[in-house]
């Protein structure tokens, strides 16, 4: 389950809630203050309240554009078989969270690229409307600002480095070329780090190259953006390595062999069956032939030897949750999703090969296999 952002729900898109996070309020205040001097220069006789209203109108226009960007991601993600969990407007603009396994590079690229393309289309629309204006007015200013901001957001997000959308397109390209999504993630992650470093260097070096001193305000913003890109790229690389670890997870490498005994078997029957097959786990079937549970060796050993032949194996049984059988060919994230749905807190689950119970799966072994290195 994806952890949902905190915030105010303002609607639903693609079956998912649309959230405005508290950090958006900070962004709105900062952007309103930053755009106010532009409005003041354009309309020097406008009162302060009017300047702030126009500035805030620009902020709403900008975040409406960001919202369209995220809606495009959400609709294409759902169309490609993903479950959309949320759309959120945040300090850095917004994000769309979706869950499910992306199977093909094409799907990943389509979901990523549609967001920036939406902004470029909006930029073109705003520019056409601006070009149709016959006088320098506040609406014309807002249309020009909408065209510029959408063009910038679209072009910036197409830069080929994670966590930007262009980085996901690059990841998909390397994935398609090499057959390894992890290689794509690592390549796009390193490019994303380079883009973050380049933003900071641009703010510092470009003014010096043109004979000017770096502007402290610009450098601070560049540092924030660079840190965001570096951190996002690093996190994406960590997730990529983690995903590769999960992809190697499979039932066959973790299963413990088991022998089955029918309903009505005794503790003595279970013990003989286990010894005959090399002390394997013992699964008891119910009257329908379905796995009812596994025999706890300690509970079975506690039954006196002279009573084992008359004691039902069910007395030492640890029941399986209903419908919890795991197929021996399950692997990767799908295996974890299956276990999350059916385990119900059980420690051991039955494993079947072509419908026949052949083993048991210790959930603790699965947890150990997916635990990050250094935390075992």
């Amino acid at each position: 389950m994806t952890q949902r952002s905190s915030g105010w729900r303002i609607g639903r898109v693609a079956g998912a809630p649309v959230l405005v996070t508290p950090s958006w309020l900070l962004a709105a205040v900062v952007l309103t203050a930053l755009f106010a001097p532009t409005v003041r220069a354009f309309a020097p006789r406008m009162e302060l309240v009017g300047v702030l209203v126009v500035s805030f109108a620009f902020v709403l226009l900008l975040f409406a554009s960001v919202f369209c960007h995220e809606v495009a991601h959400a609709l294409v993600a759902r169309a490609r078989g993903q479950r959309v969990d949320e759309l959120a407007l945040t300090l850095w603009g917004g994000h769309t969270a979706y869950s499910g396994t992306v199977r093909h590079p094409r799907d990943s690229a389509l979901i990523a690229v549609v967001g920036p393309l939406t902004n470029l289309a909006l930029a073109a629309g705003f520019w056409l409307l601006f070009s149709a204006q016959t006088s320098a007015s506040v609406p014309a200013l807002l249309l020009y600002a909408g065209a510029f901001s959408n063009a910038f957001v679209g072009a910036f997000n197409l830069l080929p480095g994670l966590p930007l959308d262009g980085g996901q397109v690059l990841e998909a390209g390397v994935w398609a070329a090499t057959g390894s999504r992890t290689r794509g993630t690592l390549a796009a992650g390193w490019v994303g780090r380079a883009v973050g470093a380049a933003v900071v260097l641009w703010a510092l070096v470009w003014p010096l190259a043109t004979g000017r001193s770096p502007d402290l305000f610009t450098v601070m913003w560049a540092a924030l953006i660079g840190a965001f890109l570096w951190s996002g790229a690093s996190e994406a690389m960590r997730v990529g390595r983690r995903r590769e670890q999960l992809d190697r997870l499979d039932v066959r490498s973790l299963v413990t062999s088991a022998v089955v005994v029918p309903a009505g078997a005794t503790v003595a029957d279970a013990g003989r069956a286990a010894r005959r097959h090399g002390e394997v786990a013992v699964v008891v079937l119910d009257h329908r032939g379905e796995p009812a549970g596994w025999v706890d060796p300690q509970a079975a050993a506690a039954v006196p030897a002279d009573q084992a032949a008359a004691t039902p194996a069910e007395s030492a049984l640890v029941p399986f949750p209903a419908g919890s059988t795991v197929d021996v060919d399950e692997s990767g994230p799908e295996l974890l999703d299956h276990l999350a749905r059916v385990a119900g807190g059980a420690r051991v689950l039955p494993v079947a090969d072509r419908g026949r119970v052949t083993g048991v799966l210790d959930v603790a072994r699965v947890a150990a296999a997916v635990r990050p290195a250094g935390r075992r």
Side-chain angles (χ1 to χ4, degrees), residues 172-186:
V174 176
W175 178 10
T178 64
S180 170
R181 187 178 183 183
T182 301
R183 290 181 183 177
T185 303
L186 295 180

Side-chain angles (χ1 to χ4, degrees), residues 1 7 11 48 66 81 91 106 111 124 150 202 205 210-211 214 219 228 245 260 262 296 298 319 321 365 370 372:
M1 175 70 76
L48 177 61
V66 171
L91 175 66
R106 178 184 59 208
I111 294 170
N150 272 283
W202 168 81
V205 174
T210 56
V219 171
F228 166 74
Q245 181 185 11
V260 300
D296 183 344
Q298 293 184 342
R365 289 192 66 188
V370 301

Side-chain angles (χ1 to χ4, degrees), residues 158-173:
L158 284 175
L159 290 175
L162 290 172
L164 301 174
D165 295 322
Q168 295 180 47
V169 175
L170 174 61
E171 176 194 65

Side-chain angles (χ1 to χ4, degrees), residues 324-351:
S324 63
T325 301
V326 179
D327 190 275
V328 73
D329 291 322
E330 290 192 57
S331 62
E334 292 82 3
L335 171 59
L336 295 182
D337 290 342
H338 184 131
L339 295 181
R341 290 194 309 271
V342 306
R347 173 191 156 194
V348 175
L349 302 177
V351 174

Side-chain angles (χ1 to χ4, degrees), residues 187-254:
W190 278 110
V191 174
R193 286 177 168 180
V195 170
V199 169
V200 179
L201 288 175
W202 168 81
L204 290 171
V205 174
W206 178 253
L208 295 175
T210 56
R212 297 178 292 111
S213 297
D215 179 72
L216 178 60
F217 183 77
T218 302
V219 171
M220 289 177 59
W221 270 105
L224 284 173
I225 295 172
F228 166 74
L229 292 176
W230 185 281
S231 175
S234 300
E235 175 64 13
M237 295 166 74
R238 186 193 69 79
V239 170
R241 294 188 181 100
R242 177 73 166 163
R243 183 179 58 240
E244 183 179 41
Q245 181 185 11
L246 294 181
D247 287 341
R248 292 197 298 264
L249 185 70
D250 68 279
V251 173
R252 291 185 183 275
S253 65
L254 298 170

Side-chain angles (χ1 to χ4, degrees), residues 130-147:
F130 168 74
S131 300
Q133 302 299 305
T134 58
S135 63
S137 61
V138 169
L141 173 64
L142 292 176
L143 290 172
Y144 179 82

